[in-house]
Amino acid sequence: MATIQDVLTAALSHHQAGRLNEAQAGYRAVLDAVPGHPDAAHLLGVAHLQAGQPDEAERWIRTAIQSNRRAADYHDNLGSALKALGRLDEAVAAHRQAIRLRPDFAQALYNLGNALDALGRREEAVTAYRQAIARRPGYARARFNLGNALSALGRNEDAQAAFHAAIADDPAFVEAHANRGAALLALGRPVEADSALARALALRPDHPGALTNRTAALLAQGDGAAADAARRAVRANPANADAWLGLGEARQRANRLGDAARAYSTALALDPGLAEAWANLAVARQTQGLLTEAERGDRLALALRPDLATVRSNLAYLALFQPGASLAGALAAHRAWDAVHGAPLRASWPKPARRKADGPLTVGILSGDFRRHPAGQFAIRTVEALPAHGVRLFLYANQTEADDLTARFQAAAERWIPVGALSDAALAERIRADRPDILIDLAGHNARGRPGVFARKPVAVQVAWSGYMATTGLAAMDALVADHHHIPDGAEALYGERVLRMPDAFIAYDPPDGAPDLTPPPCQAGAPPTFGCFNILTKLNAGVLAAWAAILTRIPDARLLMKTKALSCPDTAALWRDRLAAAGIAPDRVTMVGATSNLEHMGWCASVDVALDPFPFAGSTTTLETLWMGVPVVTLPGETFSSRHSLAFLSVAGVEGCVASSVDDYVDKAVAWAQAPDRLAALRAGLRARMAAGPLCDGNRLAAALAPALRGLVG
């Protein structure tokens, strides 16, 4: 005849095999024979807990405790049942009682950490997880949850280390690989993140989080495999809004703007509260030139996530493109960023360090564009010349890419410091420790800008230069490098910074090596005049199109070339053909060209007779590239900094007859140039050499003016 112990042993065997119904029946048989049997009552409670019946679990485990209050396991499992019932404070108390009874009880410490984490008491949870790990070597699950708690606290470096330790304990721990990848991605280390996520996917190919984050890691590296990863993520889980978000980002990177917008819209249909999807949709629409839709997306993103500083930066930037843009409006839009993201940091600005009176001036420059990028091309010649004018350079590189221009920046720097993986707070601390006399910003509110670093005021004197075309709006920004073309006398009051006017232009252009040879204007050989615009679509508006239509009406056989990266997208090209037609410009008079290499782009610049500058946001790099090919750029400046680029460059290059005073004058000047082929030919023959020999490309001349101006800021 079976004894009570035999029945209990058989029930436990069923339990261990996962046969919960049979186990419960066995435990009940024991309790029928011996009411209150503590082990049977406890194990029956555990079986109910595992079956998803925490209320029954609590009842039976409490019965066991009434019979034996000294059993630590009973209190620990009671805590798990209470946690499942949502009674978290009681759960914490139960786990603590288990630990009091058995101080080395690693599982109870782990469960205590889980309960504390669920209560949002994450620092206490971290302590509990660490204690569990100390008591049980190889406790991978505790290391994993420690990593999760640290991630939630924003301590991503510590989190990835915890996940790495969990993987050392259990190399097949898929979630640890996946979460380590996410932490590395948050740290700005996409190559390492990709490796971790690839390992997770090797273990579980359909892991949704790893698929989605691998897309982001590949995108951050500019890897073409991102699109494939994004498609796999969507196929693995079509209901995952984050997967659609990643697919949209991959499509946008490939200039498939219409497809990207549809992916973001799908993400929002699945999760209307996904602020990142609204923000990304805004960028896609902005790139397509749809300003109203872009502004709407940014505002919806901020309504959901007011902390998204990059979105508010983009909203301030959009104000520069709006018809009727004014200096007062630009200042207000940029100060709105500072009011939300900068003002809370002012109380913690450090006391400025005193600079030694003698010795060279130490200047830090922070940029993500120490490369073939407009900001890099505008700054490189001056940066290379500054050391000869007594300036030590610390270059803080917020980038992973490198090219020939990067090598030149590195050669000019006394210190080259990669900072892409650092948070704003950590980067500010690093710069503060380096103690440069001045910190220069080359990005402002553009992509890769770090206004959150400058808002922390790590350096006593901070200066904006070259990479952003407006006031930064930051109370922490002391000065802005400009010239009298961009900021004429009397306009200073509508800038938040002190204006440092350079004698010519505020930049020195570095033309690309290997630019195509100069050729005569196409119209000189009898071809119909061709007008061209090489600017982003965001700069175009109804007023610009109306002016172009008037020009083409005046010259009935003239043609229009539009070239910009976004026109690689068929949806976007069709959109603008419709807009041009609505403005009175027939589609058969327009040629549209998308992305090409830089040298191919300059060949296209040479294929037009006259370039048409948009307004109120003028061309900058596009104007310089077009002028380098000998082509005049007709411009209509306004009062904003961003409306006056072409005015400045044309003036410094000595090109006359291109700066209009009104829309009618803009039309007249464009027509006049197109009808003067000999004048066009003369400009082409001499302009490049004049630019190369003049101040517009003279980095040493600009450095000779900039260095003492900077020195004057620090006394």
Side-chain angles (χ1 to χ4, degrees):
M1 187 173 188
T3 65
I4 292 298
Q5 187 57 48
D6 291 336
V7 176
L8 185 61
T9 300
L12 186 58
S13 178
H14 285 303
H15 197 162
Q16 291 169 340
R19 298 186 292 271
L20 296 180
N21 289 335
E22 291 87 340
Q24 288 180 22
Y27 297 141
R28 289 184 187 279
V30 173
L31 289 164
D32 286 342
V34 185
H37 189 290
D39 284 343
H42 169 239
L43 291 170
L44 178 58
V46 172
H48 277 297
L49 182 60
Q50 292 169 338
Q53 301 162 333
D55 48 350
E56 283 295 297
E58 180 195 5
R59 181 167 76 88
W60 286 108
I61 295 172
R62 287 196 185 279
T63 298
I65 291 171
Q66 287 174 357
S67 298
N68 182 1
R69 296 184 178 277
R70 302 293 302 170
D73 286 345
Y74 297 1
H75 292 279
D76 184 43
N77 284 328
L78 175 62
S80 297
L82 292 165
K83 179 175 179 290
L85 288 165
R87 291 153 58 188
L88 297 174
D89 288 315
E90 293 176 71
V92 167
H95 293 309
R96 290 198 189 281
Q97 178 61 19
I99 296 161
R100 278 193 287 272
L101 292 167
R102 193 194 306 167
D104 63 347
F105 196 173
Q107 180 177 297
L109 285 161
Y110 166 76
N111 287 332
L112 173 62
N114 292 343
L116 290 166
D117 187 72
L119 279 167
R121 293 158 59 180
R122 291 200 171 94
E123 291 289 1
E124 293 176 77
V126 165
T127 299
Y129 291 135
R130 291 195 189 283
Q131 290 173 341
I133 292 162
R135 285 160 177 77
R136 183 191 293 178
Y139 202 164
R141 178 57 63 174
R143 294 187 190 278
F144 175 72
N145 280 15
L146 170 63
N148 291 335
L150 291 165
S151 288
L153 289 166
R155 292 161 58 184
N156 287 304
E157 185 61 59
D158 292 338
Q160 75 86 17
F163 293 132
H164 191 266
I167 293 164
D169 292 336
D170 181 1
F173 198 158
V174 177
E175 294 294 344
H177 287 287
N179 288 15
R180 180 168 183 255
L184 289 164
L185 192 58
L187 286 166
R189 291 153 63 180
V191 176
E192 294 172 80
D194 181 40
S195 178
L197 294 162
R199 180 59 184 152
L201 291 168
L203 293 164
R204 191 188 304 166
D206 63 345
H207 189 289
L211 282 165
T212 300
N213 283 323
R214 188 157 194 237
T215 300
L218 292 168
L219 283 167
Q221 299 173 70
D223 194 312
D228 289 337
R231 284 191 290 271
R232 286 196 298 273
V234 169
R235 284 196 297 268
N237 189 352
N240 185 343
D242 285 333
W244 284 99
L245 180 65
L247 181 60
E249 290 171 347
R251 288 173 170 175
Q252 190 161 338
R253 184 70 61 90
N255 295 320
R256 293 169 55 191
L257 301 171
D259 290 339
R262 284 186 281 275
Y264 297 140
S265 296
T266 301
L268 289 166
L270 293 166
D271 181 1
L274 188 57
E276 292 82 356
W278 283 115
N280 286 10
L281 179 60
V283 173
R285 294 310 193 196
Q286 175 179 321
T287 308
Q288 289 183 294
L290 301 172
L291 268 64
T292 301
E293 292 88 338
E295 182 176 347
R296 176 177 178 269
D298 282 335
R299 293 196 183 281
L300 286 168
L302 289 173
L304 292 164
R305 288 278 308 279
D307 62 312
L308 291 176
T310 55
V311 177
R312 191 167 275 105
S313 283
N314 201 53
L315 199 57
Y317 180 56
L318 276 177
L320 306 176
F321 296 90
Q322 302 290 352
S326 66
L327 281 177
L331 182 60
H334 289 79
R335 280 184 169 165
W337 188 99
D338 198 44
V340 175
H341 306 289
L345 301 170
R346 290 176 204 162
S348 59
W349 284 0
K351 188 175 181 180
R354 181 171 297 177
R355 179 179 180 265
K356 294 181 180 178
D358 56 351
L361 184 71
T362 303
V363 174
I365 304 178
L366 171 57
S367 177
D369 299 316
F370 294 125
R371 56 194 174 97
R372 286 250 159 241
H373 178 276
Q377 290 174 273
F378 290 171
I380 182 60
R381 292 192 173 190
T382 309
V383 167
E384 288 176 322
L386 281 170
H389 295 274
V391 176
R392 302 169 64 212
L393 292 172
F394 296 174
L395 301 190
Y396 298 94
N398 187 42
Q399 64 191 69
T400 56
E401 308 96 323
D403 56 26
D404 63 307
L405 220 61
T406 309
R408 289 169 62 186
F409 277 112
Q410 288 177 311
E414 181 173 314
R415 295 186 194 174
W416 174 265
I417 308 112
V419 299
L422 298 180
S423 67
D424 285 351
L427 177 51
E429 284 299 322
R430 168 61 200 260
I431 294 170
R432 188 173 295 124
D434 290 343
R435 297 185 65 181
D437 301 311
I438 293 173
L439 182 64
I440 292 178
D441 179 18
L442 287 193
H445 294 275
N446 274 327
R448 304 190 195 219
R450 302 292 294 268
V453 173
F454 288 88
R456 286 170 165 80
K457 195 73 168 172
V459 176
V461 178
Q462 301 190 139
V463 178
W465 173 46
S466 162
Y468 194 63
M469 308 309 183
T471 179
T472 64
L474 300 179
M477 194 68 74
D478 301 285
L480 182 150
V481 179
D483 52 59
H484 70 277
H485 304 290
H486 279 92
I487 305 181
D489 290 342
E492 300 92 333
L494 291 170
Y495 286 83
E497 305 87 354
R498 172 181 172 183
V499 177
L500 301 181
R501 285 192 183 85
M502 299 297 101
D504 303 296
F506 78 118
I507 58 93
Y509 177 51
D510 186 66
D513 292 334
D517 292 337
L518 296 171
T519 57
C523 68
Q524 193 177 40
T530 301
F531 296 95
C533 179
F534 303 95
N535 290 271
I536 59 174
L537 301 175
T538 317
K539 296 183 179 182
L540 306 185
N541 55 61
V544 171
L545 298 192
W548 291 358
I551 293 167
L552 294 176
T553 298
R554 294 265 296 272
I555 308 179
D557 62 340
R559 299 290 183 265
L560 174 66
L561 170 69
M562 292 174 63
K563 183 185 182 301
T564 189
K565 183 168 65 173
L567 291 173
S568 297
C569 169
D571 290 347
T572 306
L575 166 71
W576 280 93
R577 287 191 184 280
D578 289 344
R579 287 194 160 195
L580 290 165
I585 301 173
D588 62 0
R589 300 182 71 182
V590 181
T591 299
M592 292 185 175
V593 181
T596 64
S597 72
N598 183 246
L599 294 182
E600 288 173 324
H601 173 83
M602 298 195 73
W604 280 103
C605 292
S607 75
V608 306
D609 296 290
V610 181
L612 300 174
D613 209 26
F615 49 86
F617 201 127
S620 53
T621 311
T622 52
T623 295
L624 289 164
E625 289 168 339
T626 307
L627 293 176
W628 192 250
M629 298 309 297
V631 178
V633 180
V634 177
T635 188
L636 176 58
E639 64 178 46
T640 60
F641 194 112
S642 52
S643 75
R644 302 175 70 83
H645 304 319
S646 297
L647 160 68
F649 302 150
L650 289 160
S651 299
V652 176
V655 179
E656 298 179 350
C658 286
V659 179
S661 58
S662 66
V663 173
D664 288 343
D665 192 30
Y666 177 95
V667 173
D668 289 342
K669 282 183 164 53
V671 170
W673 274 104
Q675 293 176 334
D678 292 342
R679 185 183 179 201
L680 290 171
L683 185 69
R684 287 210 185 203
L687 181 54
R688 181 182 292 187
R690 194 158 76 242
M691 287 175 67
L696 199 53
C697 295
D698 192 340
N700 186 62
R701 179 182 173 94
L702 179 54
L706 181 60
L710 294 174
R711 197 169 280 110
L713 295 174
V714 296

